[in-house]
Each structure stands twice: as C-alpha cells, then as structure tokens.
C-alpha cells in the first residue's frame, strides 16, 4: 500500500527519504549535519533537514539501520523514535555511540530508517478486575524456555 506523505526540505542539502528495495518497510533518513564525531557512550542529535506531514492515524517510527548499529555501534538513543502525525518540526535522530571508539557521521550518510504505520488511540477505562488468562500476571521471561521446562 502506498500513499502520499508531504515532505518539506528545511535545508537545501536535505535528502528526501529513500527505500533501499521494492519491498523495504523502512525508508532511509539522511544526515544533513556537517561531519559529526560521536564520542563513545555519548549521544548527538543528527539533523535530517526535513519535516513531514503524516496522515491522520499514522505514526512515523525511527529505527536503527542494521549495518550502522552492528558495524559501527550507532543506533537511536531512545531505541525507537516516535513522530506523531501532528508534529511538523524537523526530524532529528538522537544517535548514540555504544562502542569504545569515536564514530564519525558524514553529511549525506544514511543514519536511521523511518517506518510509517497505522496506530490506534485507546479509550482507557478503569475497572476493579481484569479477565483471567492462563498466563495471568506472569511477566518478564514467563513464557520463555525456563517456564516451558517447569511444565515438563
């Protein structure tokens, strides 16, 4: 499914997001910042020079680019960035250096990927009790390997 998303260049050097293949879910976002060094264990905001107009009911999700994360230890500091459909400001990526050596992000480099997805707004309703399930309140790791072993 394709639909139109309006983009405004806030910087003449900004690059419109691109998809790497016909069926790619994420569009690459590009740095418009001059070469920027990110020191180990530090976070720097990298500018894209673009603003988006997402359709009502859709959200922009900013994820790491797998190569940047696995080869250069650079990934969004907040793990997944959220762009609400009413936000009209510049898209920036807070890149964090998880490595032990400085990393340089060049102007024009692909820095993250943008996935556009529908979302649902919940109408939260406070109740005294919730329905029972087999899992119940089992939390972190409760459906994993160790809970499977206990059942045997």
């Amino acid at each position: 499914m394709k639909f139109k998303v309006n983009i405004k260049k806030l910087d003449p050097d900004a690059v419109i997001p691109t998809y790497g293949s016909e069926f790619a879910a994420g569009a690459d976002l590009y740095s418009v910042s001059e070469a920027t060094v990110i020191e180990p264990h530090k976070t720097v905001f990298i500018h894209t020079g673009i603003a988006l107009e997402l359709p009502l009911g859709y959200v922009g999700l900013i994820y790491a680019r797998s190569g940047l994360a696995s080869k250069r230890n650079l990934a969004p500091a907040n793990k997944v960035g959220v762009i609400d459909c009413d936000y009209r400001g510049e898209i920036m990526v807070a890149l964090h250096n998880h490595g032990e050596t400085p990393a340089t992000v060049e102007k024009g480099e692909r820095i993250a990927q943008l996935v556009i997805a529908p979302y649902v707004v919940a109408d939260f309703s406070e109740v005294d009790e919730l329905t029972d399930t087999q899992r119940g309140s089992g939390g972190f790791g409760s459906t994993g390997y160790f809970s499977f072993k206990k059942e045997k």
Side-chain angles (χ1 to χ4, degrees), residues 68-85:
L68 204 61
S70 63
K71 296 176 185 171
R72 296 183 43 210
N73 297 309
L74 296 175
N78 53 345
K79 306 305 180 212
V80 178
V82 175
I83 305 167
D84 296 314
C85 66

Side-chain angles (χ1 to χ4, degrees), residues 98-114:
H98 294 275
E100 300 301 326
T101 59
T104 302
V105 175
E106 300 291 341
K107 183 175 184 173
E109 185 174 352
R110 296 175 296 168
I111 56 169
Q113 56 182 323
L114 170 69

Side-chain angles (χ1 to χ4, degrees), residues 83-135:
I83 305 167
D84 296 314
C85 66
D86 60 347
Y87 177 68
R88 296 293 185 269
E90 181 182 9
I91 306 304
M92 291 189 284
V93 178
L95 273 186
H96 183 80
N97 182 348
H98 294 275
E100 300 301 326
T101 59
T104 302
V105 175
E106 300 291 341
K107 183 175 184 173
E109 185 174 352
R110 296 175 296 168
I111 56 169
Q113 56 182 323
L114 170 69
V115 174
I116 298 172
Y119 67 90
V120 175
V121 176
D123 182 11
F124 295 103
S125 179
E126 184 178 0
V127 296
D128 292 328
E129 297 292 326
L130 300 174
T131 59
D132 286 331
T133 66
Q134 184 176 1
R135 179 178 180 175

Side-chain angles (χ1 to χ4, degrees), residues 42-70:
K42 298 294 181 188
T43 300
V44 174
F45 284 96
I46 305 295
H47 294 261
T48 65
I50 61 169
L52 301 173
E53 184 178 334
L54 295 171
L56 182 64
Y58 286 82
V59 62
L61 301 171
I62 297 177
Y63 292 100
R65 293 194 72 253
S66 58
L68 204 61
S70 63

Side-chain angles (χ1 to χ4, degrees), residues 21-44:
S21 71
E22 180 182 4
F23 298 109
D28 290 326
L29 295 174
Y30 295 81
S31 170
V32 75
S33 300
E34 295 301 325
T36 303
V37 175
I38 306 175
E39 296 297 330
H41 310 291
K42 298 294 181 188
T43 300
V44 174

